[in-house]
Amino acid sequence: MNKKMLLLSAAFYSLVVSPTTLAAEKGKIGLALDIAVEGGFFNPTLSSVKVKELVAGGAAEKAGVLVGDQILKIADCVIPGCPADDAKDLMKKNKGESVSFLIKQADGTELTKTVVAE
């Protein structure tokens, strides 16, 4: 392939498949958590997770999550025992993507809440 063709190919590639075109907009779940972990520095697991704060009008509040709710599961990752890195990855969502939580409310009721990132 000559230099002219190589340059044209590179230019076409940057027009069609530019990284900015492929990048999705990061979403926000709209909550702050109180997290307790077990295990060592290199392999921590979640032992308990509680909702500490909600963003007013945010995605979690809209889904019905309440301050004080205990999170028992993030997607299919059960707490206690969910690896901290897995939990972090499960909660990283782009706008429009969702994550489900199994929640235990103050009265003992267990509910599944699906939060759509905004």
Side-chain angles (χ1 to χ4, degrees):
M1 186 182 288
N2 66 31
K3 286 183 182 182
K4 236 181 200 179
M5 285 298 291
L6 184 60
L7 287 173
L8 283 172
S9 297
F12 178 76
Y13 176 78
S14 67
L15 286 173
V16 175
V17 191
S18 72
T20 53
T21 305
L22 295 177
E25 193 173 346
K26 290 182 181 178
K28 295 180 182 164
I29 302 295
L31 52 78
L33 301 172
D34 203 359
I35 300 171
V37 295
E38 296 176 336
F41 178 78
F42 295 105
N43 194 22
T45 59
L46 303 180
S47 58
S48 72
V49 177
K50 247 187 181 174
V51 178
K52 181 169 79 173
E53 197 175 322
L54 294 169
V55 172
E61 186 178 70
K62 288 177 185 173
V65 177
L66 304 171
V67 171
D69 283 352
Q70 181 179 0
I71 297 177
L72 304 175
K73 216 192 266 192
I74 302 170
D76 288 327
C77 203
V78 178
I79 301 164
C82 181
D85 286 342
D86 291 356
K88 183 178 172 184
D89 290 342
L90 288 167
M91 291 182 59
K92 282 184 185 176
K93 297 295 176 190
N94 294 322
K95 268 190 169 183
E97 293 180 330
S98 63
V99 61
S100 61
F101 298 100
L102 177 61
I103 290 176
K104 184 176 184 180
Q105 295 183 321
D107 66 1
T109 305
E110 291 186 12
L111 304 166
T112 299
K113 300 287 183 173
T114 302
V115 178
V116 180
E118 298 179 332

